Amino acid sequence: MVSKVGLAVFGLGRMGLHHVKNIIMSPRASLRWIVCENIQDANAVKEEYNLNTQCVTPDKVEQALEDSSVDGVMIVSPTGTHEDLIQKSLDKAKSVFCEKPLTPSVPSTRACYDLAESKGKPLLCAFQRRFDPSFYSLYKQVRSGSTGPVRIVKATSRDFPYPPVDYLRTSGGIFKDSTIHDLDMVSWIAGSKPVSVFAYGHAHNPELREFKDNDQVVVVISYENGSVAVVDNGRWCPYGYDQRLEVLCDKMQLSIDNKGVNHLITSGDQGTLLPRPEDNFMNRYPDAYRNELEHFLNVVQGKEEIRVSKEETIQAMRLAELCFESIEKQKTVPYTE
Ligand SMILES: NC(=O)c1ccc[n+]([C@@H]2O[C@H](COP(=O)([O-])OP(=O)(O)OC[C@H]3O[C@@H](n4cnc5c(N)ncnc54)[C@H](O)[C@@H]3O)[C@@H](O)[C@H]2O)c1
């Protein structure tokens, strides 16, 4: 019998709880540790699901890392804590799954991957959209060659509900925290190296101006193969969590529409009413989060090559940095590594 993959989860907030529930549902994984600041929350999960999991605060993270039954860690704590936790986990020879962005800069992201390579351990940046069945099917179709070359990739990514301002304050800014999903996805589909980046942004919420962030942005990226990506990303959307993709190729157009909250279509003399899109990322991407966990388990067990590479993760962070630069200079900037 193959033994289960022992996991420790760092962070039990919005995203951490979702990952924890997926681990509990997976017959291949065993949740050994939860590390988070609010120990009552962790104990409540432990009790509710009747788990044999140890729960500790971040100052005791070493206990989880010393546990030889822990094969991998899932880092779902605030972005500013990732780098330290990645390093500590790799130093203890654990496989690492880490939420995006891996770290807040290109040099620190590269350093984490260099350490992972030197330890011979996988480091997976959790760009979950890669594991969404619709986006992945689109990607496979484009790569199969049946669509012809990519001309335009248009991603619409409008958040809902408006994230807590306290979260935004420490998030690293919209490009590194939110747009980075789109920057990764459009480049993955374009299948080519970026040449230039243009970004525009505005803060409709005045609170964001205190820490120089924006809540509505547009990014245009040109690629070596002649394709262009247009990203429309924001923190607010009045009709739900809007996630759409349109890819124009030489032979056809591929598009992915929103996932509705249900399948009810109401037609009457005023027209046709469709259900509103899902309410948040957890409801839009449940398959993607499950699939990325299964992928991580496969990687830990040596059954699959990692699907989000070092170069791709660094490139997404570099694009996010160049978006800031483009806004500051108010012009298109060349892609440099
Ligand atoms: N992939 C996605 O769709 C997605 C969605 C939301 C958030 N995220 C990412 O997930 C991460 C967490 O975001 P969130 O919204 O869940 O945050 P959150 O603020 O809701 O939760 C953070 C959790 O981390 C814990 N924590 C704080 N410091 C810690 C430390 N040193 N060690 C261990 N735990 C610690 C807190 O106690 C809390 O449980 C961020 O990096 C964010 O970018 C990804």
Side-chain angles (χ1 to χ4, degrees), residues 140-203:
K140 294 282 271 186
Q141 206 167 327
V142 169
R143 282 294 98 77
S144 75
S146 65
T147 64
V150 177
R151 288 171 168 253
I152 299 178
V153 184
K154 260 163 91 177
T156 303
S157 178
R158 301 174 184 160
D159 223 343
F160 182 87
Y162 202 98
V165 171
D166 279 345
Y167 170 86
L168 298 182
R169 204 178 293 281
T170 59
S171 70
I174 189 167
F175 294 118
K176 292 181 179 179
D177 180 61
S178 175
T179 326
I180 198 159
H181 280 295
D182 306 288
L183 300 174
D184 174 65
M185 189 172 67
V186 296
S187 303
W188 176 57
I189 291 164
S192 180
K193 260 189 90 141
V195 175
S196 68
V197 185
F198 172 79
Y200 171 81
H202 183 76

Side-chain angles (χ1 to χ4, degrees), residues 94-108:
K94 305 300 180 193
S95 300
V96 179
F97 168 114
C98 182
E99 266 305 339
K100 48 47 65 177
L102 218 57
T103 78
S105 78
V106 167
S108 51

Side-chain angles (χ1 to χ4, degrees), residues 116-250:
E117 281 169 3
S118 74
K119 299 285 178 187
K121 287 288 158 188
L123 171 57
L124 176 68
C125 180
F127 284 130
Q128 91 279 359
R129 292 191 203 169
R130 303 261 198 127
F131 301 90
D132 174 75
S134 301
F135 293 144
Y136 189 55
S137 298
L138 185 151
Y139 165 80
K140 294 282 271 186
Q141 206 167 327
V142 169
R143 282 294 98 77
S144 75
S146 65
T147 64
V150 177
R151 288 171 168 253
I152 299 178
V153 184
K154 260 163 91 177
T156 303
S157 178
R158 301 174 184 160
D159 223 343
F160 182 87
Y162 202 98
V165 171
D166 279 345
Y167 170 86
L168 298 182
R169 204 178 293 281
T170 59
S171 70
I174 189 167
F175 294 118
K176 292 181 179 179
D177 180 61
S178 175
T179 326
I180 198 159
H181 280 295
D182 306 288
L183 300 174
D184 174 65
M185 189 172 67
V186 296
S187 303
W188 176 57
I189 291 164
S192 180
K193 260 189 90 141
V195 175
S196 68
V197 185
F198 172 79
Y200 171 81
H202 183 76
H204 290 269
N205 178 349
E207 281 187 272
L208 267 62
R209 294 181 201 147
E210 278 171 39
F211 47 99
K212 287 196 172 161
D213 203 357
N214 295 299
D215 56 12
Q216 200 67 59
V217 300
V218 174
V219 181
V220 179
I221 307 169
S222 68
Y223 293 92
E224 281 178 357
N225 64 4
S227 60
V228 178
V230 183
V231 174
D232 155 354
N233 174 225
R235 295 292 195 184
W236 170 245
C237 182
Y239 47 85
Y241 185 59
D242 186 358
Q243 301 282 286
R244 287 170 286 143
L245 184 65
E246 191 179 283
V247 182
L248 177 67
C249 304
D250 266 13

Side-chain angles (χ1 to χ4, degrees), residues 9-17 19 35-38 41 57-58 61 75-82 84-85 99-101 126-128 167 171 176-177 181 241 281 285 289 292:
V9 172
F10 303 155
L12 191 68
R14 291 187 306 165
M15 198 63 246
L17 182 60
H19 285 311
V35 181
C36 70
E37 284 169 321
N38 192 340
D41 288 352
T57 45
V61 68
I75 300 173
V76 205
S77 49
T79 299
T81 64
H82 291 180
D84 178 51
L85 290 170
E99 266 305 339
K100 48 47 65 177
F127 284 130
Q128 91 279 359
Y167 170 86
S171 70
K176 292 181 179 179
D177 180 61
H181 280 295
Y241 185 59
F281 54 86
Y285 291 116
Y289 295 123
E292 70 176 357

